[in-house]
């Protein structure tokens, strides 16, 4: 039963590669080689790359989602990926590092933690309490902007823009800070 629930909600892997300054071009070529193979794997949903900021960081973060944890693990543990990781090792400052989670757990897992995840009801309350003000506030900003372009009456477009902004804010701005703020409660 537990494995059926895990299979239904999908899985995410967050991979970090710290790349040598003189190997950034080669790493980008390597990404072009590995990406289509990953995307052709059973259960693949999407792939996002957060590239380093030139002069500040040399860390790439690759976020990949699959429909089930089993399909995700099949890709991560595949001989194809192992061969390509071996090919890329000379580009890395550190080893291939990744963290697999299911559902929204990755929002609640502190960096470096391998197993500590808050109980589901705390995840639910934290997510709800973060989304609620965004769902109230973002439309108040977006709707007048769309109205200036005579697009506010298009409910599909308005919903598309509002939800895109809410998800962006949740992933990049709100949850990373919010979980740090409430971590004592989350992990107690």
């Amino acid at each position: 039963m537990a494995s059926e629930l895990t299979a239904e909600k999908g899985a995410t892997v967050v991979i970090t590669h710290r790349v040598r300054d003189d190997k950034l071009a080669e790493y980008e070529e390597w990404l072009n080689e590995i990406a289509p193979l990953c995307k052709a794997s059973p259960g693949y949903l999407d792939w996002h790359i957060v590239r380093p900021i030139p002069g500040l960081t040399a860390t790439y973060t690759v976020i990949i989602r699959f429909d089930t944890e089993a399909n995700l693990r099949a890709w991560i543990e595949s001989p194809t990926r192992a061969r390509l990781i071996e090919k890329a090792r000379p580009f890395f400052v550190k080893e291939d590092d990744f963290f697999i989670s299911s559902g929204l757990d990755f929002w609640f897992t502190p960096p470096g933690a391998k197993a500590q995840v808050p109980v589901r009801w705390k995840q639910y309350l934290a997510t709800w309490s973060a989304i609620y003000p965004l769902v109230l506030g973002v439309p108040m900003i977006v709707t007048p902007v769309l109205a200036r372009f005579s697009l506010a009456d298009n409910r599909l477009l308005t919903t598309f823009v509002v939800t895109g902004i809410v998800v962006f804010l949740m992933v990049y701005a709100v949850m990373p800070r919010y979980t740090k703020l409430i971590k004592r409660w989350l992990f107690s």
Side-chain angles (χ1 to χ4, degrees), residues 7-159:
E8 289 177 11
K9 61 183 172 180
T12 303
V13 63
V14 178
I15 304 167
T16 55
H17 290 149
R18 183 145 181 251
V19 180
R20 299 180 190 283
D21 290 337
D22 62 336
K23 298 294 183 183
L24 296 175
E26 289 95 330
Y27 183 81
E28 286 286 342
E29 288 176 25
W30 177 82
L31 282 174
N32 290 332
E33 181 180 356
I34 197 170
L37 298 171
C38 175
K39 292 174 181 181
S41 296
Y44 165 83
L45 295 174
D46 65 5
W47 163 294
H48 300 280
I49 299 173
V50 180
R51 287 182 164 77
I53 300 167
L56 293 177
T57 67
T59 301
Y60 283 78
T61 303
V62 181
I63 304 164
I64 309 169
R65 290 188 316 144
F66 278 77
D67 60 348
T68 66
E69 187 172 337
N71 281 336
L72 174 65
R73 287 195 182 276
W75 163 248
I76 289 293
E77 298 167 3
S78 71
T80 301
R81 184 176 185 278
R83 176 182 56 80
L84 288 166
I85 289 296
E86 197 56 41
K87 180 179 178 179
R89 282 198 198 286
F91 311 152
F92 300 157
V93 173
K94 295 184 177 180
E95 288 296 309
D96 174 48
D97 187 28
F98 61 87
F99 174 75
I100 295 175
S101 65
S102 57
L104 299 175
D105 291 348
F106 70 93
W107 273 344
F108 300 98
T109 306
K114 296 296 180 192
Q116 188 181 16
V117 177
V119 293
R120 292 269 182 217
W121 69 267
K122 287 185 178 184
Q123 292 180 42
Y124 164 78
L125 288 176
T127 305
W128 185 24
S129 66
I131 287 177
Y132 181 73
L134 292 175
V135 170
L136 288 176
V138 170
M140 290 191 293
I141 296 167
V142 169
T143 305
V145 171
L146 292 177
R148 288 184 190 179
F149 299 102
S150 301
L151 298 171
D153 293 334
N154 185 333
R155 185 173 179 171
L156 291 176
L157 179 64
T158 303
T159 303

